[in-house]
Amino acid sequence: METRYDPVDNTIPVASHQLNESQTDMPTPDPRRGSMLLLLPIALILAVIAALFAWVGGWFGNHQLTPQKMMDFAETSGAQAQGFRRAHSKGVCFAGTFAPTPDAAKLSKARAFSQPSIAVIGRFSASSNNPYAPDGASPVRGMAVQLKTDDGQEWRIAMNSFPFFATATPQAFQAMNEAGKPDPATGKPDPEKMKAVLAANPEIGAFLAWAKAAPRSDSLGSTRFNGVNAFRLTDAAGTDRMVRWSMRPRLPFAAMSPEQLKAADPNFLMEDLDRRLASRPLIWDMVVQFAAPGDPITDPSKAWPDTRPETTIGTLTVVHAEEQASGPCRDLNFDPLILPDGIVGSADPILHARSAAYSVSFNRREREISEGKFAHPIGQNGSAR
């Protein structure tokens, strides 16, 4: 249920400093000092750029973890296929529209919140790096959306069906994945390795408990997708609000029993999507949840309480689905840090690691496609949209 409120009143105070204009005993400014001060913003920008290059290149960081190493590991686990994304390999493209609500423009100056209707390209996906995995193999499903507004700006959104992320840091996420890789000698993960990772990162236990018990809907159209990272919305007056967003389906949720999942066709979600779109569009309401003081902004493994205020900021209408092998989403990198003016990503390390890792994955699969190494995702263990 949505909690209604006046979004203009729910603000995050921004510190301000006022100069007392009655103070006249001010020293004469040194012009050389002014020149040096003008150079400071440039120096800061260069320092930030250098730090980003250093992080991506692996010049510093815990255990020298880099996006390249994360993707290298993904390629050696599971059933990775060339020409596909290194994670969420199985998917289907979709097209539709996004229409903001009147409340949206009060929260952010982003054009996406004031343009009456925006054409979108998106993608539904499964969590496996095997593009031919059965749709019921994992409880995790993904939705990604690209919006291009009439002023030339882009907004790319990446969401998943879990309510919170598995770990608080990229290093813990990598450790969890490595501990879960089967030992060649036994064909099973080493339980002692996973036990050590859980002891060092107890938040993983909560995620594993969710994955084990979470009911699975019988349709992508009835699946809720959550953005577990926080973003800052800035309105026209300069007021900031920290939010997390989600796409909430209008189609009623219907859970599948274990027996139904076991008997389901390997591509039942994709086939269900086609059947539903043949008769009518599928609709999600985009809802933002507002942080309260003390809520974790940079830790996506911690959900905010359900009591936090929420507002619907738009409606996503999906009207068409298409094979990803030839569809418009195939060559899109749904980098969650491609944002319009009025929306800024938080300092969440998982958010920034996702952006960097997506770039590495995109470059590798696009090179493979250009070299003719991309297998058409039809006919291998069934259709793999």
Side-chain angles (χ1 to χ4, degrees), residues 130-163:
N130 176 6
Y132 310 108
D135 286 348
S138 169
V140 178
R141 302 166 187 173
M143 172 194 276
V145 184
Q146 178 207 47
L147 299 90
K148 284 187 175 181
T149 50
D150 55 14
D151 62 355
Q153 297 193 67
E154 279 195 49
W155 181 15
R156 300 189 188 181
I157 308 168
M159 293 165 288
N160 288 283
S161 56
F162 44 67

Side-chain angles (χ1 to χ4, degrees), residues 46-60:
L46 291 175
V48 170
I49 293 173
L52 288 173
F53 274 109
W55 190 88
V56 172
W59 299 339
F60 63 82

